[in-house]
Amino acid sequence: MVDAAAPQHGGVRRIYLVRHGETLYRGISGAGGAAPYDLTERGVERLRGLAELFRLIQVDRIVASPLARSFDTASIIAEPLVLPVKVDDDLREITAGSYDGKTGHEIFSEVQHFFVSRETHWDTPYVGGETYRQLRSRGQLFLERALADPGWQTMVAVAHGGINNALLSVVLGKDESSGLLNVEQDFGCVNVLDHDGERFILRLLNFTSYDPLKADLKLPAVQILAALMGGR
């Protein structure tokens, strides 16, 4: 018989790693009511459903990338929990060089090529900007700092597709010989990263509360976004 008074988590610390909700990348934050969220109406509706799931568990801390789409996502999750959102710059998305003079179609093509091409390696610049190696180093630093902080047991961390890929690569112990991690991160998805005191364990990957069995999620998120924006 399990002792009901005994701790059920066994000392395990958990990070719920979330990708921001569906967005049109306007870059204007509505957290606080000053402007619309940097999310689509459908994205907001789905996140409110996800927020209801988080209401059922004990969350100690919510952190987010400083980018509007991530901060707004975290704010929707935090609202029913009555928790503040702390910004962590290491969760920001992989940084591109410049999009100047490029059409939406060209940008989407370059982004997709970077993450799926066999030619991409850890030192390939992302659209002329940050490399995956630099991104992964940021991700590793975030995880190390999080574990060094004893002030939380369960954390929600809201970030982006690229940095989530890098964080998952660190957790899974991948090295550069295997290239970039071949995983999808759908809008508003949740990954569960448990730390047992010695190592991270990936307990859940790319869960979407609005489509648990992925019946309508068969395209990469970048293609869904391209369709939403009309390829402009």
Side-chain angles (χ1 to χ4, degrees):
M1 177 179 293
V2 176
D3 183 357
Q8 300 300 304
H9 54 71
V12 171
R13 304 176 79 188
R14 172 167 290 182
I15 297 176
Y16 288 96
L17 179 63
V18 179
R19 186 185 182 184
H20 62 76
E22 187 178 85
T23 179
L24 295 179
Y25 292 84
R26 293 171 302 192
I28 302 172
S29 176
Y37 287 121
D38 189 23
L39 302 163
T40 64
E41 290 185 10
R42 181 170 68 175
V44 172
E45 180 181 358
R46 288 172 170 176
L47 288 171
R48 294 204 187 283
L50 178 59
E52 286 303 306
L53 292 183
F54 278 117
R55 188 202 286 265
L56 301 175
I57 62 175
Q58 177 65 46
V59 176
D60 308 305
R61 183 169 300 174
I62 299 180
V63 299
S65 152
L67 300 182
R69 56 192 181 273
S70 174
F71 187 83
D72 287 354
T73 295
S75 297
I76 291 172
I77 293 172
E79 184 177 358
L81 300 176
V82 196
L83 286 173
V85 177
K86 297 187 177 183
V87 171
D88 194 308
D89 192 58
D90 283 332
L91 289 176
R92 71 185 185 280
E93 182 58 300
I94 187 170
T95 305
S98 174
Y99 294 129
D100 292 347
K102 296 179 180 179
T103 65
H105 176 74
E106 290 170 336
I107 293 170
F108 294 134
S109 295
E110 287 193 42
V111 170
Q112 187 170 12
H113 182 269
F114 180 87
F115 284 104
V116 304
S117 174
R118 294 181 180 274
E119 299 173 0
T120 303
H121 53 78
W122 282 21
D123 294 308
T124 302
Y126 172 72
V127 194
E130 193 173 23
T131 67
Y132 188 78
R133 188 183 303 278
Q134 292 169 323
L135 178 70
R136 198 173 183 279
S137 294
R138 273 204 283 117
Q140 186 161 4
L141 179 61
F142 166 76
L143 292 174
E144 290 172 354
R145 286 193 294 100
L147 290 176
D149 181 353
W152 64 274
Q153 188 75 36
T154 302
M155 172 191 294
V156 175
V158 184
H160 309 262
I163 181 64
N164 282 12
N165 183 296
L167 287 163
L168 291 167
S169 174
V170 173
V171 167
L172 293 174
K174 294 294 184 180
D175 61 32
E176 61 184 293
S177 65
S178 57
L180 276 58
L181 193 63
N182 187 22
V183 300
E184 184 59 49
Q185 289 286 276
D186 294 309
F187 290 124
C189 74
V190 180
N191 310 278
V192 176
L193 315 180
D194 283 347
H195 195 275
D196 63 6
E198 296 184 3
R199 61 172 183 157
F200 270 109
I201 299 168
L202 178 61
R203 188 169 296 276
L204 184 67
L205 176 66
N206 194 32
F207 168 76
T208 42
S209 60
Y210 55 89
D211 190 353
L213 295 183
K214 308 291 185 180
D216 295 318
L217 288 170
K218 297 179 181 178
L219 295 175
V222 67
Q223 289 187 20
I224 295 173
L225 177 60
L228 284 171
M229 300 184 73
R232 296 190 297 274

